[in-house]
Amino acid sequence: MCYAIPGRVESVEGRHVAVSYYGQIKRAVNELYSLSPGDYVYAQGGFVVQKVSPAEAEIILSTWKELFFELQELDSASIRPSLMNIAPDSKLAEILKAAEDVKTLSEDDLTFLLSLEKRSEIDALCGAANRLRHSISQSSCCVHGIIEISNNCRNSCRYCGINNSNARLSRYRMSEDEILSAAREAVAKFGFKSLVLQSGEDCARPIDELVGIVRRLQKDNPVFLIISFGEYVGWSGLEALYDAGARGLLTRFETSNPEIFSKLHPDSTLEERLAFIRRAGEIGYLITSGGLVGLPGQNKRDLARDVLLCRELGSQMYSFGPFIPHPDTALAGRRTASEIEMLKVTAACRLAAPPEAVVPVTSAFETISRDARKKAMQSGANSLMLNLTPLKYRAMYSIYPSRAHESESLDAQIADATDLLKSLGRVPMDIGIRTQRAEISTSASTTP
Ligand code: SAM
């Protein structure tokens, strides 16, 4: 099983193509190739990343065909009937029904959902999110790989183990060659179609150097590239990195509560962070944002606002992780968010997000719960992240202690993820930016 299957171009309308995966239509943006109906492509994050020859695509698709339909059946069989075990006239039933009809949830609705305590009600919430996930993205699951290129950081975020005042941490900065070779291996050997490059705010690495790395990486590898270097790149850096080929930005706002934000971030303001994310959206980046769950002083309404802020920012990936206290930070000894809290947030994200948005299982969630992937994927999540940072550096990217996959080889991570996807009936293919066939003209035309 590889991390993407090719799809057949059904129709082309300017930059937009409709791509069919055994008849399931996804919509993607094409900036790279001259495409006509009948061509085969790989798409990721709603972008065409590679054109493949029909001969190559047909071999892959024929080996996948049987498994594809088997997995779909398995996934469909896991979907529980609507509103099982809750009173049909309850407030919960009303909210879940509205969400499943893709109605926008209010702050009060989300606060109510995030405050649920009874097991049967939480099960109903997670079941509804899973049903909605299935109805909008079928069995698609996107798999990203992350390379953590430096643990140097100019900031002193109170919760983060790589903050610049942690003198106990050994620092590293991957060289350009190391980054490019990790990316090449991920793409050429392991078939990744989507990569995240992440670091602390490593201002000792000039923006020009980052731009050069992104340009070379994109030139040599057909991949959807997400950057996560922090605000130090500035607005002009965002533009230059986009021009070099980066297409996604991962920057969490961490919390939508300005008071909590300012207590935790002595070096930046919530306003600046949001302006940075909004600017990236204007440039054309696909936005991944989100926050930390269980921060000191945070309540359920704050979390509801976090989910809604993601929506307001036009986030295409709702990335929420539990706050895990790091012993070498000011928040050492505080409480870690629980599995149940994380499942409720995962489900709330799915119910509140627009259909095309992806809900990932974050590595921090995997760190606090062995079953995180399985349970989150059954509560609305449809994306996984594998850690591609070279093993000699991985433990040094110590944002919180004992991170999941800290010492696990890539082969082992791939085997695990593959088994999980197979057991849940999920297929590693692009989720697309919209799934409605009606929105795509079926008339054939080609890009200039
Ligand atoms: N500089 C990058 C950016 O643009 O945001 C990202 C680097 S930062 C280390 C990556 C993420 O780690 C943060 O967005 C934060 O949510 C998460 N993180 C840091 N400390 C954490 C902790 N103690 N528990 C859980 N997550 C944490």
Side-chain angles (χ1 to χ4, degrees):
M1 201 182 211
C2 66
Y3 283 112
I5 56 172
R8 184 180 183 280
V9 174
E10 290 282 297
S11 65
V12 182
E13 197 175 275
R15 293 166 71 235
H16 293 276
V17 291
V19 182
S20 163
Y21 297 88
Y22 303 108
Q24 259 181 36
I25 305 293
K26 314 277 177 182
R27 189 173 183 242
V29 171
N30 167 44
E31 298 177 331
L32 301 175
Y33 303 99
S34 168
L35 293 177
S36 311
D39 286 337
Y40 287 90
V41 294
Y42 284 106
Q44 270 293 316
F47 283 82
V48 171
V49 294
Q50 188 179 10
K51 183 175 174 182
V52 275
S53 73
E56 188 184 333
E58 276 156 21
I59 292 173
I60 300 170
L61 289 171
S62 67
T63 54
W64 256 93
K65 190 167 183 182
E66 216 171 295
L67 184 59
F68 180 89
F69 289 106
E70 265 172 37
L71 291 176
Q72 286 222 302
E73 248 174 59
L74 193 61
D75 184 23
S76 304
S78 77
I79 302 301
R80 281 176 283 140
S82 185
L83 309 183
M84 230 170 66
N85 301 333
I86 53 166
D89 55 354
S90 61
K91 179 172 176 180
L92 176 58
E94 197 185 302
I95 298 174
L96 295 182
K97 196 171 163 333
E100 287 195 61
D101 291 342
V102 200
K103 301 216 170 93
T104 309
L105 295 187
S106 68
E107 186 181 308
D108 283 349
D109 293 340
L110 286 166
T111 307
F112 176 84
L113 294 178
L114 292 164
S115 308
L116 294 174
E117 292 291 347
K118 274 198 205 149
R119 190 70 238 194
S120 58
E121 294 183 334
I122 296 170
D123 283 351
L125 165 65
C126 295
N130 194 32
R131 216 164 27 251
L132 183 61
R133 185 273 310 157
H134 180 259
S135 80
I136 58 187
S137 63
Q138 297 91 19
S139 47
S140 325
C141 178
C142 54
V143 182
H144 308 273
I146 186 165
I147 307 174
E148 293 142 344
I149 65 169
S150 164
N151 70 352
N152 291 281
C153 191
R154 66 175 181 172
N155 289 345
S156 321
C157 307
R158 296 282 184 245
Y159 47 83
C160 185
I162 67 168
N163 82 75
N164 76 357
S165 39
N166 181 5
R168 293 167 62 110
L169 183 70
S170 306
R171 304 283 170 172
Y172 74 91
R173 176 176 300 115
M174 285 172 68
S175 69
E176 176 168 338
D177 281 352
E178 285 179 309
I179 298 168
L180 293 177
S181 104
R184 204 171 309 117
E185 185 184 38
V187 176
K189 180 167 169 203
F190 293 106
F192 280 85
K193 299 288 173 199
S194 173
L195 294 182
V196 181
L197 293 188
Q198 187 176 81
S199 65
E201 300 229 0
D202 185 4
C203 48
R205 169 128 51 201
I207 309 299
D208 285 353
E209 191 181 314
L210 278 180
V211 171
I213 292 171
V214 165
R215 180 164 292 117
R216 274 183 284 283
L217 193 156
Q218 280 295 186
K219 186 170 157 279
D220 299 343
N221 303 283
V223 77
F224 182 73
L225 184 64
I226 301 173
I227 54 165
S228 181
F229 306 135
E231 288 174 70
Y232 97 96
V233 302
W235 288 18
S236 57
L238 275 180
E239 278 171 31
L241 289 158
Y242 188 88
D243 289 343
R247 284 294 174 269
L249 176 87
L250 164 54
T251 300
R252 286 178 173 168
F253 49 79
E254 314 294 358
T255 171
S256 59
N257 180 321
E259 252 175 64
I260 300 178
F261 188 99
S262 68
K263 278 190 195 145
L264 298 176
H265 302 98
D267 316 285
S268 58
T269 68
L270 181 57
E271 263 185 359
E272 284 162 356
R273 179 75 55 97
L274 295 180
F276 180 77
I277 298 170
R278 289 198 172 100
R279 179 70 198 133
E282 284 162 11
I283 293 171
Y285 282 97
L286 181 143
I287 301 297
T288 295
S289 197
L292 287 168
V293 177
L295 287 169
Q298 185 186 51
N299 60 34
K300 304 284 187 270
R301 189 162 290 278
D302 291 322
L303 280 174
R305 289 184 179 143
D306 290 352
V307 175
L308 290 175
L309 180 54
C310 259
R311 193 174 167 116
E312 190 206 312
L313 291 169
S315 186
Q316 295 284 310
M317 220 196 275
Y318 284 46
S319 170
F320 284 86
F323 158 61
I324 305 173
H326 190 293
D328 299 325
T329 61
L331 298 186
R334 297 300 187 110
R335 159 186 179 276
T336 304
S338 69
E339 180 190 278
I340 286 286
E341 284 173 280
M342 281 309 303
L343 288 175
K344 287 193 279 185
V345 171
T346 305
C349 286
R350 179 65 280 154
L351 296 180
E356 65 274 18
V358 168
V359 180
V361 188
T362 54
S363 310
F365 188 10
E366 291 179 49
T367 299
I368 62 155
S369 156
R370 274 173 166 271
D371 295 331
R373 275 189 178 165
K374 187 165 176 219
K375 290 183 177 170
M377 297 271 277
Q378 290 169 326
S379 305
N382 54 0
S383 166
L384 293 181
M385 184 83 85
L386 271 53
N387 195 315
L388 311 179
T389 309
L391 272 169
K392 66 174 173 179
Y393 296 128
R394 219 180 284 161
M396 284 191 254
Y397 200 76
S398 169
I399 48 185
Y400 47 82
S402 314
R403 286 194 310 148
H405 317 298
E406 202 165 69
S407 52
E408 209 176 318
S409 72
L410 186 49
D411 285 307
Q413 289 184 64
I414 288 176
D416 249 24
T418 305
D419 286 352
L420 179 86
L421 293 179
K422 281 188 180 161
S423 73
L424 293 175
R426 303 296 172 87
V427 185
M429 66 185 187
D430 187 38
I431 288 169
I433 47 180
R434 291 238 167 74
T435 52
Q436 268 105 44
R437 186 186 270 272
E439 292 187 21
I440 310 284
S441 153
T442 45
S443 67
S445 62
T446 48
T447 46

